[in-house]
Amino acid sequence: MCVKRGQMMNELCVTISMEDCFPKALVVFKGIEKNLSAIKDLGYDGIELALYRKDNIDVKALKKLIDEYGLQIPVISTGQMFTMLNVWFTHTDSKVREKAVEEFKGIIDVAAEFGADINVSRVRGYIDENDTLDEGLKKLTECLYEVCEYAKSYNRDILLEQMNRFETNYLCSVKDVGKYIKSLKIPNLKIHADLFHMNIEDVDIYDTLKEYKDHIGYIHFCDSNRLAPGKGHLDFYRTLKTMDEIKYGGWIGLEVLPEPDPYTAAKDSIDYLRTIKI
């Protein structure tokens, strides 16, 4: 189901991971093959696939399944690298940072097979108490330059997600991430905006989206309480209207808590968005 607004259109995907993913992985569905039929029947255009290393999936087999269901994989997310592999880009140990980059490049290889972009969320890590902000950002920047250059060879974008203060201690708002990305001038490094984090950290969701419109590569939808859109207090009419104004035609990813169960959460999300007319 594409969300249509005026002349703009956004395709919708829903988050999914392997059955044996991190137990607390923030995805709607766990188990790829068994859930693709339901995802297609609900009207989604694709899946955001959460991996922590390249051998989590059989690329050839998944390609066949994706084609059979007429779905796409626009984004591969990498947050589980932090929890499953214990590596991240701001780690104080250079060997750990090198390992993080090596594993991340493997996921870029997989993403390229599906024409997907790659998200950087928890794998960016946190700034250690023994590092200053500048020292931590220097570590992040070195890693991002390397993975962005690698992704560039496949013509893929890297999506740097802002995360709220309860999940990390730096680059918490879209405004922070936007300023940082603008300073780097890396063409294939984009903002991954998440409404849940924006509701906590950005002063004004709509003005911020407008300010950094040229740098936004992907948007996560969920309500203020991490539940399906319509279950909290966020204004999705105004959000979609703002996206229309800035001419954002990219994908919308549904990353919501799987409550009361994955199918209902996914259904409630897409049913609610269908009711919004711009």
Side-chain angles (χ1 to χ4, degrees):
M1 182 212 105
C2 297
V3 178
K4 296 181 179 179
R5 317 173 317 277
Q7 299 301 309
M8 301 307 297
M9 180 176 70
N10 300 105
E11 293 175 295
L12 294 180
C13 63
V14 63
T15 56
I16 190 170
S17 192
M18 317 78 60
E19 193 80 59
D20 61 343
C21 63
F22 179 62
K24 295 183 180 180
L26 185 55
V27 292
V28 178
F29 292 100
K30 293 182 180 180
I32 300 169
E33 184 171 358
K34 70 179 185 180
N35 287 303
L36 290 182
S37 178
I39 290 169
K40 178 64 176 178
D41 289 345
L42 285 170
Y44 285 92
D45 305 292
I47 60 173
E48 176 191 316
L49 180 60
L51 304 177
Y52 58 88
R53 62 176 6 142
K54 69 182 299 181
D55 60 4
N56 286 150
I57 59 165
D58 180 326
V59 171
K60 185 177 179 180
L62 182 55
K63 270 189 170 183
K64 183 179 179 182
L65 278 173
I66 290 294
D67 288 344
E68 284 178 3
Y69 287 104
L71 295 168
Q72 299 179 62
I73 303 179
V75 172
I76 292 182
S77 57
T78 62
Q80 292 179 75
M81 288 179 62
F82 179 88
T83 50
M84 297 293 280
L85 303 183
N86 202 34
V87 297
W88 58 91
F89 290 164
T90 52
H91 201 286
T92 53
D93 187 336
S94 62
K95 296 297 183 184
V96 176
R97 298 197 300 276
E98 289 169 9
K99 178 66 172 175
V101 168
E102 177 188 349
E103 295 285 358
F104 196 94
K105 285 180 177 178
I107 294 180
I108 293 174
D109 291 335
V110 173
E113 295 283 347
F114 296 97
D117 293 327
I118 309 90
N119 128 296
V120 175
S121 54
R122 294 198 71 191
V123 71
R124 65 185 173 98
Y126 58 90
I127 295 180
D128 189 86
E129 62 182 7
N130 294 313
D131 276 348
T132 65
L133 174 61
D134 286 345
E135 288 168 337
L137 286 174
K138 183 174 184 292
K139 292 178 174 67
L140 175 68
T141 300
E142 289 172 352
C143 292
L144 285 178
Y145 268 120
E146 190 167 349
V147 299
C148 285
E149 187 64 26
Y150 192 77
K152 183 180 176 183
S153 65
Y154 289 118
N155 196 31
R156 306 319 313 157
D157 287 340
I158 299 297
L159 308 165
L160 180 58
E161 184 175 4
Q162 102 279 10
M163 293 164 55
N164 71 73
R165 72 192 74 181
F166 305 107
E167 298 183 37
T168 190
N169 58 359
Y170 76 116
L171 298 183
C172 296
S173 67
V174 163
K175 185 175 284 288
D176 289 341
V177 173
K179 288 179 180 178
Y180 173 68
I181 285 178
K182 287 175 73 172
S183 73
L184 296 185
K185 296 182 173 61
I186 302 175
N188 64 330
L189 180 60
K190 308 292 185 182
I191 299 170
H192 176 166
D194 183 299
L195 295 185
F196 177 77
H197 299 301
M198 291 190 76
N199 181 58
I200 297 171
E201 299 294 347
D202 285 284
V203 175
D204 188 301
I205 291 174
Y206 320 104
D207 284 348
T208 303
L209 290 175
K210 290 176 183 177
E211 183 176 358
Y212 293 98
K213 62 182 181 180
D214 295 331
H215 300 276
I216 296 173
Y218 186 51
I219 298 178
H220 264 166
F221 268 25
C222 60
D223 218 318
S224 54
N225 47 15
R226 277 274 197 206
L227 297 178
K231 304 293 185 182
H233 65 245
L234 290 185
D235 186 341
F236 284 90
Y237 172 85
R238 190 174 176 192
T239 301
L240 288 166
K241 193 172 188 302
T242 300
M243 289 164 59
D244 190 51
E245 291 171 1
I246 66 174
K247 295 180 169 56
Y248 174 77
W251 282 79
I252 295 171
L254 270 296
E255 185 189 58
V256 303
L257 291 173
E259 297 179 5
D261 59 80
Y263 183 87
T264 302
K267 185 178 188 303
D268 286 351
S269 295
I270 200 165
D271 284 351
Y272 178 77
L273 292 177
R274 284 184 174 123
T275 69
I276 300 176
K277 309 298 181 186
I278 303 299

